[in-house]
Amino acid sequence: MSEYVRNLWYMAAWDHEIPESGMLSRTLLDEKWLIVRLSDGAYAMLADRCPHRFVPLSRGRLENDLVHCPYHGLGFDRTGACAHNPFPAAPPSHVRVGTMPVVHAHRGLWFWPGDPAKADPALIPDFAFVDRAGMQRSSLTIRGNYELVSDNLMDLTHAEFLHVTSFGVNGSIFQGAQSVLNERDGAIWNNWDMQGVTPPIWAAAMLAEGDRVDQWLHMRWHAPASMALTVGLARAGTQRADLVVPQMVNPHIITPETQTTSHYFYDHEATPEAEALARQVFVEEDEPMIEAAQEALGAMDFWEARPAILETDAGAIRARRRLMQLRRAEAA
Ligand code: FES
Ligand SMILES: [Fe+2]
């Protein structure tokens, strides 16, 4: 099991996941955290563990922007300081609950588990595209290490086997050209470009019998595992000008819950059909494979297990290497 890279932005939740009560408890990087929405619209993240007798603060209540412990009634403010004592004495200044920087951006809540002085919001990857009408943002938990989920998304060749009836790329990836690119902001792109291929099954109804298409699947990765997939489909021979459907970009943002489970943040059109399809792809098709890989690995380190490396793995491996470099830099 590898250390988590601390000096990075991770996504904790979509903003709509914070309930009316203003508090959401979530396990992130093996620890329980409380995400709190305050009356001025700001957010705070507090350790979901009272420093007095360690009960979850999430069992308490949020009142006047203070989180009140359900056990002996201490109240904590957004900075983690104890700001309410149920006894007449002043709140004990030596009692504090842990906090992390949190930023509301791109409809998500992003936290920085490392050195707070380095938490520059400009380093949050650009997911501005998620804020659009007609889309529903969802999340689920996958029983696999976040890097195994990242491997899955950075190597879309699996779609030709695992998503034959759902995503249905119809063999076109076998005729595609792969390119892996590094960007200055730290992004790694794993791109598949297909020319003059059989259309994917989901587009068949929009095309005439025998029509050929150009298709592109471009996955952008930012550490630790925040990804965006661009899918384009145009009539073949039109230099990508005659689009069959508007180009789509969707988030695939993965945050470790524990070493062997991951939060998966995604979106889809706000229809029951699109929701069912997304669940089919992620829960029924991807998850059993990722889970089986996780079970086979057990507690063993990925590299110790001596994985075979294929050419089509290039993007996934580059992302893993980037995380290794970041880990080494933090350890030094
Ligand atoms: S356990 Fe929280 S105040 Fe005692
Ligand atoms: Fe998949």
Side-chain angles (χ1 to χ4, degrees):
M1 295 293 153
S2 306
E3 288 290 312
Y4 298 117
V5 179
R6 313 296 306 189
N7 288 308
L8 282 177
W9 289 107
Y10 291 75
M11 195 172 137
W14 292 118
D15 53 13
H16 74 265
E17 292 184 283
I18 316 302
E20 269 300 290
S21 68
M23 301 200 298
L24 176 73
S25 176
R26 188 155 270 179
T27 300
L28 302 160
L29 281 56
D30 291 312
E31 289 174 354
K32 283 205 161 170
W33 288 90
L34 190 60
I35 310 163
V36 183
R37 186 180 49 231
L38 300 153
S39 57
D40 60 1
Y43 290 83
M45 275 180 76
L46 272 54
D48 191 9
R49 194 174 101 136
C50 181
H52 178 223
R53 283 299 175 274
F54 320 121
V55 304
L57 291 171
S58 52
R59 293 204 196 167
R61 65 182 204 289
L62 178 65
E63 207 175 278
N64 297 328
D65 289 344
L66 295 185
V67 177
H68 291 267
C69 178
Y71 201 178
H72 311 97
L74 291 177
F76 300 92
D77 69 13
R78 69 180 79 193
T79 71
C82 183
H84 173 78
N85 185 346
F87 290 91
S93 59
H94 64 286
V95 178
R96 292 192 67 86
V97 64
T99 60
M100 282 198 285
V102 57
V103 170
H104 185 203
H106 316 312
R107 306 305 301 268
L109 298 162
W110 298 80
F111 66 97
W112 181 275
D115 176 0
K118 294 182 178 159
D120 178 1
L123 298 174
I124 297 173
D126 184 6
F127 282 93
F129 64 84
V130 303
D131 198 358
R132 60 216 200 278
M135 299 300 284
Q136 184 181 319
R137 288 169 288 279
S138 300
S139 67
L140 52 85
T141 308
I142 296 249
R143 282 164 294 184
N145 175 272
Y146 69 105
E147 288 189 83
L148 288 176
V149 186
S150 186
D151 285 344
N152 169 282
L153 289 156
M154 287 295 276
D155 179 3
L156 291 180
T157 58
H158 77 270
E160 295 288 15
F161 302 92
L162 215 45
H163 306 312
V164 174
T165 59
S166 52
F167 207 49
V169 268
N170 260 337
S172 63
I173 296 184
F174 299 126
Q175 300 160 56
Q178 183 187 18
S179 48
V180 179
L181 313 163
N182 283 10
E183 246 179 62
R184 220 180 269 159
D185 74 343
I188 295 172
W189 287 83
N190 188 62
N191 297 347
W192 281 98
D193 291 276
M194 284 74 78
Q195 280 197 346
V197 294
T198 314
I201 51 168
W202 56 265
M206 290 169 260
L207 292 156
E209 184 80 33
D211 274 359
R212 295 261 152 177
V213 293
D214 293 345
Q215 186 176 11
W216 54 104
L217 302 168
H218 293 178
M219 189 70 83
R220 186 196 74 185
W221 176 97
H222 279 95
S226 298
M227 285 159 274
L229 175 62
T230 301
V231 179
L233 194 70
R235 285 182 179 76
T238 68
Q239 310 295 327
R240 298 188 175 181
D242 187 3
L243 296 175
V244 179
V245 287
Q247 183 172 272
M248 295 171 275
V249 193
N250 298 93
H252 295 267
I253 302 171
I254 315 300
T255 298
E257 179 186 54
T258 67
Q259 284 284 355
T260 54
T261 58
S262 303
H263 299 290
Y264 194 145
F265 301 101
Y266 60 100
D267 75 356
H268 51 79
E269 278 175 37
T271 63
E273 299 76 39
E275 186 172 4
L277 180 64
R279 288 198 75 84
Q280 181 190 340
V281 171
F282 302 144
V283 179
E284 292 164 33
E285 297 173 353
D286 283 321
E287 185 177 15
M289 285 297 154
I290 295 170
E291 195 184 353
Q294 180 65 68
E295 271 173 19
L297 265 181
M300 209 189 310
D301 174 73
F302 176 80
W303 294 106
E304 268 171 34
R306 304 185 63 81
I309 306 298
L310 309 179
E311 230 174 281
T312 45
D313 274 342
I317 294 301
R318 208 179 284 192
R320 280 187 173 272
R321 290 202 197 285
R322 176 70 56 77
L323 282 179
M324 281 182 2
Q325 287 163 359
L326 292 171
R327 257 180 226 122
R328 253 185 255 129
E330 288 196 349

